[in-house]
Short mmCIF file of all heavy atoms in Angstrom, two decimals:
data_model
loop_
_atom_site.label_atom_id
_atom_site.label_comp_id
_atom_site.label_asym_id
_atom_site.label_seq_id
_atom_site.Cartn_x
_atom_site.Cartn_y
_atom_site.Cartn_z
N ALA P 198 0.83 -1.21 0.00
CA ALA P 198 0.00 0.00 0.00
C ALA P 198 0.87 1.26 0.00
O ALA P 198 2.03 1.25 0.43
CB ALA P 198 -0.93 0.00 1.20
N ALA P 199 0.29 2.34 -0.48
CA ALA P 199 0.97 3.64 -0.46
C ALA P 199 0.71 4.32 0.89
O ALA P 199 -0.30 4.06 1.56
CB ALA P 199 0.47 4.52 -1.60
N ASP P 200 1.63 5.19 1.29
CA ASP P 200 1.48 5.94 2.54
C ASP P 200 0.57 7.14 2.32
O ASP P 200 0.70 7.85 1.33
CB ASP P 200 2.85 6.46 3.01
CG ASP P 200 3.80 5.34 3.41
OD1 ASP P 200 3.32 4.38 4.05
OD2 ASP P 200 4.99 5.43 3.07
N GLY P 201 -0.33 7.38 3.28
CA GLY P 201 -1.11 8.62 3.23
C GLY P 201 -2.54 8.46 3.67
O GLY P 201 -3.16 7.40 3.53
N THR P 202 -3.09 9.55 4.22
CA THR P 202 -4.50 9.61 4.62
C THR P 202 -5.03 11.01 4.29
O THR P 202 -4.28 11.99 4.33
CB THR P 202 -4.67 9.34 6.12
OG1 THR P 202 -6.06 9.44 6.49
CG2 THR P 202 -3.89 10.35 6.97
N ILE P 203 -6.32 11.09 3.95
CA ILE P 203 -6.92 12.41 3.82
C ILE P 203 -7.19 12.96 5.22
O ILE P 203 -7.32 12.19 6.17
CB ILE P 203 -8.22 12.39 2.98
CG1 ILE P 203 -9.26 11.42 3.58
CG2 ILE P 203 -7.90 12.01 1.53
CD1 ILE P 203 -10.60 11.46 2.88
N GLY P 204 -7.27 14.31 5.35
CA GLY P 204 -7.41 14.84 6.69
C GLY P 204 -7.98 16.23 6.80
O GLY P 204 -8.17 16.74 7.91
N LEU P 205 -8.27 16.89 5.68
CA LEU P 205 -8.79 18.26 5.76
C LEU P 205 -10.10 18.34 6.54
O LEU P 205 -10.27 19.20 7.40
CB LEU P 205 -8.99 18.82 4.35
CG LEU P 205 -7.75 19.32 3.61
CD1 LEU P 205 -8.07 19.58 2.14
CD2 LEU P 205 -7.18 20.58 4.26
N GLU P 206 -11.02 17.43 6.24
CA GLU P 206 -12.35 17.50 6.83
C GLU P 206 -12.36 17.21 8.34
O GLU P 206 -13.26 17.65 9.05
CB GLU P 206 -13.28 16.51 6.14
CG GLU P 206 -13.56 16.84 4.68
CD GLU P 206 -14.20 15.68 3.95
OE1 GLU P 206 -13.68 14.56 4.02
OE2 GLU P 206 -15.23 15.90 3.29
N THR P 207 -11.38 16.47 8.80
CA THR P 207 -11.38 16.02 10.20
C THR P 207 -10.43 16.83 11.08
O THR P 207 -10.38 16.60 12.30
CB THR P 207 -10.98 14.54 10.27
OG1 THR P 207 -9.76 14.34 9.51
CG2 THR P 207 -12.07 13.66 9.67
N ALA P 208 -9.70 17.78 10.52
CA ALA P 208 -8.68 18.50 11.29
C ALA P 208 -9.30 19.31 12.44
O ALA P 208 -8.89 19.20 13.59
CB ALA P 208 -7.88 19.42 10.37
N PHE P 209 -10.31 20.14 12.12
CA PHE P 209 -10.90 20.99 13.15
C PHE P 209 -11.56 20.18 14.25
O PHE P 209 -11.33 20.40 15.45
CB PHE P 209 -11.91 21.95 12.53
CG PHE P 209 -12.77 22.68 13.53
CD1 PHE P 209 -12.18 23.46 14.52
CD2 PHE P 209 -14.15 22.57 13.51
CE1 PHE P 209 -12.97 24.12 15.47
CE2 PHE P 209 -14.93 23.23 14.44
CZ PHE P 209 -14.34 24.00 15.42
N GLY P 210 -12.40 19.21 13.88
CA GLY P 210 -13.12 18.42 14.87
C GLY P 210 -12.19 17.65 15.79
O GLY P 210 -12.50 17.46 16.97
N THR P 211 -11.04 17.23 15.27
CA THR P 211 -10.07 16.51 16.09
C THR P 211 -9.34 17.45 17.03
O THR P 211 -9.19 17.18 18.23
CB THR P 211 -9.05 15.78 15.18
OG1 THR P 211 -9.75 14.93 14.27
CG2 THR P 211 -8.09 14.95 16.02
N LEU P 212 -8.87 18.58 16.51
CA LEU P 212 -8.12 19.53 17.33
C LEU P 212 -9.01 20.17 18.40
O LEU P 212 -8.57 20.41 19.53
CB LEU P 212 -7.50 20.61 16.45
CG LEU P 212 -6.39 20.13 15.50
CD1 LEU P 212 -6.00 21.25 14.54
CD2 LEU P 212 -5.18 19.65 16.28
N ASN P 213 -10.26 20.44 18.05
CA ASN P 213 -11.21 21.03 19.00
C ASN P 213 -11.44 20.08 20.17
O ASN P 213 -11.52 20.49 21.33
CB ASN P 213 -12.52 21.34 18.28
CG ASN P 213 -13.51 22.08 19.14
OD1 ASN P 213 -13.14 22.82 20.05
ND2 ASN P 213 -14.80 21.88 18.86
N GLN P 214 -11.51 18.79 19.86
CA GLN P 214 -11.71 17.79 20.90
C GLN P 214 -10.45 17.59 21.75
O GLN P 214 -10.53 17.39 22.96
CB GLN P 214 -12.11 16.47 20.25
CG GLN P 214 -12.52 15.37 21.21
CD GLN P 214 -13.43 14.37 20.53
OE1 GLN P 214 -14.65 14.37 20.75
NE2 GLN P 214 -12.86 13.52 19.70
N LEU P 215 -9.30 17.70 21.11
CA LEU P 215 -8.04 17.43 21.78
C LEU P 215 -7.54 18.59 22.63
O LEU P 215 -7.06 18.40 23.75
CB LEU P 215 -6.99 17.05 20.73
CG LEU P 215 -5.64 16.52 21.22
CD1 LEU P 215 -5.82 15.21 21.97
CD2 LEU P 215 -4.70 16.31 20.03
N PHE P 216 -7.68 19.81 22.11
CA PHE P 216 -7.09 20.98 22.76
C PHE P 216 -8.10 21.98 23.31
O PHE P 216 -7.72 22.89 24.05
CB PHE P 216 -6.17 21.72 21.78
CG PHE P 216 -4.95 20.95 21.38
CD1 PHE P 216 -4.87 20.35 20.13
CD2 PHE P 216 -3.87 20.83 22.24
CE1 PHE P 216 -3.75 19.63 19.76
CE2 PHE P 216 -2.73 20.13 21.87
CZ PHE P 216 -2.67 19.52 20.63
N GLY P 217 -9.36 21.87 22.92
CA GLY P 217 -10.33 22.90 23.27
C GLY P 217 -10.37 23.98 22.20
O GLY P 217 -9.45 24.12 21.39
N LEU P 218 -11.44 24.78 22.21
CA LEU P 218 -11.72 25.68 21.10
C LEU P 218 -10.63 26.73 20.88
O LEU P 218 -10.11 26.87 19.77
CB LEU P 218 -13.07 26.37 21.32
CG LEU P 218 -13.46 27.40 20.24
CD1 LEU P 218 -13.55 26.73 18.88
CD2 LEU P 218 -14.76 28.08 20.61
N GLU P 219 -10.30 27.49 21.89
CA GLU P 219 -9.38 28.61 21.68
C GLU P 219 -8.01 28.15 21.21
O GLU P 219 -7.43 28.74 20.30
CB GLU P 219 -9.26 29.44 22.96
CG GLU P 219 -10.53 30.21 23.32
CD GLU P 219 -10.33 31.11 24.52
OE1 GLU P 219 -9.45 31.99 24.45
OE2 GLU P 219 -11.03 30.92 25.53
N GLU P 220 -7.51 27.08 21.82
CA GLU P 220 -6.19 26.59 21.41
C GLU P 220 -6.25 26.00 20.01
O GLU P 220 -5.32 26.16 19.21
CB GLU P 220 -5.71 25.54 22.41
CG GLU P 220 -4.21 25.28 22.32
CD GLU P 220 -3.69 24.49 23.51
OE1 GLU P 220 -4.45 24.24 24.47
OE2 GLU P 220 -2.51 24.12 23.48
N ALA P 221 -7.34 25.31 19.68
CA ALA P 221 -7.49 24.74 18.34
C ALA P 221 -7.48 25.84 17.28
O ALA P 221 -6.81 25.73 16.25
CB ALA P 221 -8.79 23.93 18.24
N ILE P 222 -8.23 26.93 17.52
CA ILE P 222 -8.27 28.02 16.56
C ILE P 222 -6.91 28.69 16.43
O ILE P 222 -6.46 29.06 15.34
CB ILE P 222 -9.35 29.05 16.96
CG1 ILE P 222 -10.74 28.40 16.91
CG2 ILE P 222 -9.30 30.27 16.03
CD1 ILE P 222 -11.12 27.80 15.58
N SER P 223 -6.21 28.83 17.54
CA SER P 223 -4.87 29.41 17.50
C SER P 223 -3.95 28.57 16.62
O SER P 223 -3.17 29.11 15.81
CB SER P 223 -4.30 29.51 18.92
OG SER P 223 -2.98 30.03 18.90
N LEU P 224 -4.05 27.25 16.75
CA LEU P 224 -3.21 26.36 15.94
C LEU P 224 -3.59 26.42 14.46
O LEU P 224 -2.72 26.36 13.58
CB LEU P 224 -3.33 24.93 16.45
CG LEU P 224 -2.74 24.64 17.84
CD1 LEU P 224 -3.12 23.25 18.31
CD2 LEU P 224 -1.22 24.80 17.81
N LEU P 225 -4.87 26.54 14.19
CA LEU P 225 -5.35 26.52 12.81
C LEU P 225 -5.09 27.83 12.07
O LEU P 225 -5.14 27.85 10.83
CB LEU P 225 -6.85 26.21 12.78
CG LEU P 225 -7.24 24.76 13.10
CD1 LEU P 225 -8.72 24.66 13.41
CD2 LEU P 225 -6.86 23.83 11.94
N THR P 226 -4.83 28.89 12.80
CA THR P 226 -4.68 30.20 12.14
C THR P 226 -3.24 30.69 12.07
O THR P 226 -2.97 31.72 11.47
CB THR P 226 -5.53 31.27 12.86
OG1 THR P 226 -5.20 31.30 14.25
CG2 THR P 226 -7.01 30.96 12.70
N LYS P 227 -2.30 29.98 12.67
CA LYS P 227 -0.92 30.45 12.70
C LYS P 227 -0.10 29.86 11.55
O LYS P 227 -0.49 28.86 10.96
CB LYS P 227 -0.27 30.11 14.04
CG LYS P 227 -0.06 28.61 14.24
CD LYS P 227 0.40 28.28 15.68
CE LYS P 227 1.74 28.89 16.00
NZ LYS P 227 2.30 28.31 17.27
N GLY P 228 1.02 30.50 11.24
CA GLY P 228 1.99 29.90 10.33
C GLY P 228 2.23 30.62 9.02
O GLY P 228 3.21 30.34 8.33
N ARG P 229 1.34 31.53 8.64
CA ARG P 229 1.49 32.14 7.33
C ARG P 229 2.80 32.92 7.18
O ARG P 229 3.44 32.86 6.12
CB ARG P 229 0.30 33.07 7.04
CG ARG P 229 -1.02 32.35 6.80
CD ARG P 229 -2.14 33.37 6.68
NE ARG P 229 -3.42 32.80 6.28
CZ ARG P 229 -4.34 32.33 7.10
NH1 ARG P 229 -4.11 32.33 8.41
NH2 ARG P 229 -5.49 31.85 6.64
N GLU P 230 3.19 33.65 8.22
CA GLU P 230 4.38 34.52 8.11
C GLU P 230 5.62 33.73 7.77
O GLU P 230 6.50 34.21 7.06
CB GLU P 230 4.60 35.28 9.43
CG GLU P 230 3.46 36.20 9.81
CD GLU P 230 2.42 35.53 10.69
OE1 GLU P 230 2.39 34.27 10.72
OE2 GLU P 230 1.64 36.25 11.33
N ARG P 231 5.72 32.50 8.27
CA ARG P 231 6.90 31.68 7.99
C ARG P 231 7.10 31.46 6.51
O ARG P 231 8.23 31.33 6.02
CB ARG P 231 6.75 30.33 8.71
CG ARG P 231 7.93 29.37 8.55
CD ARG P 231 9.17 29.95 9.15
NE ARG P 231 10.26 28.97 9.24
CZ ARG P 231 11.51 29.27 9.56
NH1 ARG P 231 11.83 30.53 9.81
NH2 ARG P 231 12.43 28.35 9.63
N PHE P 232 6.01 31.44 5.77
CA PHE P 232 6.05 31.18 4.34
C PHE P 232 5.86 32.46 3.51
O PHE P 232 5.58 32.38 2.31
CB PHE P 232 5.00 30.13 3.97
CG PHE P 232 5.23 28.81 4.67
CD1 PHE P 232 4.67 28.55 5.91
CD2 PHE P 232 6.03 27.84 4.09
CE1 PHE P 232 4.89 27.36 6.57
CE2 PHE P 232 6.26 26.63 4.73
CZ PHE P 232 5.70 26.39 5.97
N GLY P 233 6.00 33.60 4.17
CA GLY P 233 5.90 34.87 3.45
C GLY P 233 4.51 35.24 3.02
O GLY P 233 4.33 36.02 2.08
N ILE P 234 3.50 34.70 3.71
CA ILE P 234 2.10 34.97 3.37
C ILE P 234 1.53 35.93 4.42
O ILE P 234 1.66 35.68 5.62
CB ILE P 234 1.28 33.66 3.36
CG1 ILE P 234 1.88 32.68 2.35
CG2 ILE P 234 -0.18 33.95 3.05
CD1 ILE P 234 1.32 31.27 2.48
N PRO P 235 0.90 37.02 4.01
CA PRO P 235 0.34 37.96 4.99
C PRO P 235 -0.74 37.30 5.83
O PRO P 235 -1.58 36.55 5.33
CB PRO P 235 -0.25 39.08 4.12
CG PRO P 235 0.42 38.94 2.79
CD PRO P 235 0.71 37.49 2.62
N SER P 236 -0.75 37.59 7.12
CA SER P 236 -1.78 37.06 8.01
C SER P 236 -3.02 37.94 7.95
O SER P 236 -2.92 39.16 8.02
CB SER P 236 -1.27 37.00 9.44
OG SER P 236 -0.30 36.00 9.57
N PRO P 237 -4.20 37.34 7.81
CA PRO P 237 -5.42 38.14 7.76
C PRO P 237 -5.73 38.74 9.12
O PRO P 237 -5.29 38.25 10.16
CB PRO P 237 -6.49 37.12 7.36
CG PRO P 237 -5.94 35.80 7.81
CD PRO P 237 -4.46 35.90 7.68
N LYS P 238 -6.51 39.83 9.10
CA LYS P 238 -6.93 40.49 10.33
C LYS P 238 -8.45 40.59 10.35
O LYS P 238 -9.08 40.75 9.31
CB LYS P 238 -6.31 41.87 10.45
CG LYS P 238 -4.79 41.88 10.53
CD LYS P 238 -4.25 43.30 10.59
CE LYS P 238 -2.73 43.31 10.65
NZ LYS P 238 -2.19 44.70 10.69
#
């Protein structure tokens, strides 16, 4: 078999359950600056 799983649809529901809402949203919204992408406001 090949390596890999789909995961876009399940990312939020998993992180929300694992870390709680505020921490999950913080994790889901960070990272753009590292790749030279402007962060939305």
